[in-house]
Amino acid sequence: MYQIFQISGDVFRALGLKMKILITVIFSGLLILSVVLLSFSNNFNDQLIDASIKGSPESETPRDKLIGGLLTTDFNERSCVSRYHQSLLYRKPSPYKPSEYLVSKLRSYEKLHKRCGPGTRAYKKATRNLSHDDGNYASKSVGECRYIVWVAVYGLGNRILTLASVFLYALLTERVVLVDQSKDISDLFCEPFPGTSWLLPVDFPLMKQIDGYNKEYSRCYGTMLNNHAINSTSVPRHLYLHIIHDSRDEDKMFFCQKDQALIDKVPWLIVKANVYFVPSLWLNPTFQTELMKLFPQKEAVFHHLARYLYHPTNQVWGMVTRYYNAHLARADERLGIQIRVFSDQAGYFQHVMDQILSCTQREKLLPEVVSQEESKVNISQSQKLKAVLVTSLYPEYSDRLKNMFWERPSSTGEIIEVYQPSGERVQQTDKKLHDQKALAEMYLLSLTDKIVTSARSTFGYVAHSLGGLKPWLLYQPKEAKAPDPPCIRSTSIDPCHLTPPSHGCDAEWGTDSGKVVPFVRHCEDRENDGLKLFDEL
C-alpha cells in the first residue's frame, strides 16, 4: 500500500507548494485511517456485545452493568459474558432498585463465603467427623462457619426458585450455601461469588447418602419433632429439611420463630425443596424485620436474587442472544406466551388453545383476525411489528397462532410474527442440552414487553419475575374446558409458594397463613391457596 503512494524525490521537488501540501495531507490521512481501522478490528468483538440491540434507542443510553450495585467488579468479563451484559438486552432498565442494605449484605456474604467455602481451613474443620453421629453435637467446636447444602431435585424451574430461597435463608442466618453439583448446575450457570466456589465438593462426607434423604430419615427435622428427639441440649451434627410439596405440618414448623432458634444451633443443614418458600419466611417476626430492610419493594425479592445469583454460561447465553437478535430484536413490541399443560395425557388440547386466544384477545395483547375485505390497512404505510415468543413442550400451539396470522390480516393492521425456539414434547430434566435450552427460553421470555404464563408453572414464575414483569396468569382448566374468565393480571412480579404452611405457630395455630400480614397473601392463580408477596395493598 505504501509503494502505491510513493513519489520519487525529483518529481516531488518539481511540484508546486500547494500540491506538496495536498499530497502530504492525503498521505498523513491514509496513515491515520489505517491505524483507526486496525484499532477497530481489534475491538470489534467487544463492540458486538456492547451493542446488543441493533437500532434500539436504549442501546445509546449507558446501562448500569452492575445493576445498582448488586454485582461486584471482581470477575473477568470474558469468562462469563452474561454477568455484566444481561441488562443490555432488556428493553428498559428495571423499575425495581436494590436497596443499599441488600448490596452491603451481599458484599458481606461474599467475604463469608470466601472465608468458609470449599478448600478453606474452616470448611475442612467443619466437615471433620461429620459422618459420625455420637450424640450431642452442640458442645463440640466446629469453627466459626455454618452451612446449608442445597440438593437438586425436580425440574429446572423448581431448582432455580428453591436455590434462590435457600440463598436468602443463608443471608438471613449467616450460613454458607453450597450447591449439589451432581446434576448439571455448572453447565447452566457461572459461579456467582468471587474468589471461591459455591459447588459442594464431591468428597463431602454425606455425599453418598443425601440423595436418599426423605421425610422418613431419622435426622429429618419434622421426624425429630414427632419423635421428641431434638431440643436445646440435644443438637445433631446435621439436619435434613424436607420442603417438598408433600411436607407435613411438622416439616413446615421450620418457618416458625421458636423452631428457628433451635435449628440455628445445627452446623449443617441439608435441604431438598421443590417450592419457592420465600413468602413464608416473611411470616417469621425475626426474619421479617431484616427482610423489610433488605427488600423495601417486597415483591422484588426473587427479581433481585435471580439477577445476582444466576448468570448463564457462555454456551447458554449464546443461545439467548442469537435467538433474540435473529427473531425478536427488530420488533416494535414483544409478547411472551408460556404454556404448561398439567395433564396425565400429554399433547395439544383445543380448550387450552381456546383459552390462550380468549385471554390474549380479551386483554388486547393480540389482535383478532379479519377477512381480507375487512382489512383497513394501507399497505403504503409502515405497519407495527409484534413478535410473539411461545414456549411449550408442544409446537402445535405456536403453529396454530402462526397459521392464523399468516392466513388472514389482523384487525389492527399489526404484523404478527410467531416464534417457538423448541418443542421437545417430553420434559427431560438432567439432560444437559434440554436444560440449557429450557434456561435460554426462560431468559428469552424475561426479555419480552408483556407476558402470559400458566398457573402453577415454576418455569413461568422464573421468566416473569426475572424480567420484572407482572404477568397475565392463565387459570388452570378444569374438566377439559377453557375457564371463564381465562386469565387474570397479577399485581405482583413475585413467584408463588405453592404449598406453604396452612397454620400459624404455637398460639396462632389454625390461622390462615394468607392473612397473617397484609403483604403476604394468597396467589391469584391458586384459589385461596399458596402464598405470594405483594406491594399493592
Side-chain angles (χ1 to χ4, degrees), residues 383-402:
Q383 293 169 271
K384 185 178 178 181
L385 173 61
K386 177 176 286 188
V388 182
L389 177 73
V390 178
T391 65
S392 173
L393 288 173
Y394 311 106
E396 290 87 352
Y397 296 102
S398 62
D399 288 344
R400 169 74 187 277
L401 282 173
K402 191 180 301 182

Side-chain angles (χ1 to χ4, degrees), residues 1-6 22-40:
M1 181 176 178
Y2 175 78
Q3 291 178 344
I4 295 174
F5 296 98
Q6 191 175 34
L22 179 60
I23 291 173
T24 302
V25 170
I26 293 172
F27 184 70
S28 300
L30 288 169
L31 283 175
I32 293 170
L33 180 61
S34 66
V35 171
V36 171
L37 287 173
L38 181 61
S39 175
F40 177 81

Side-chain angles (χ1 to χ4, degrees), residues 121-122 329 510:
R121 183 177 300 175

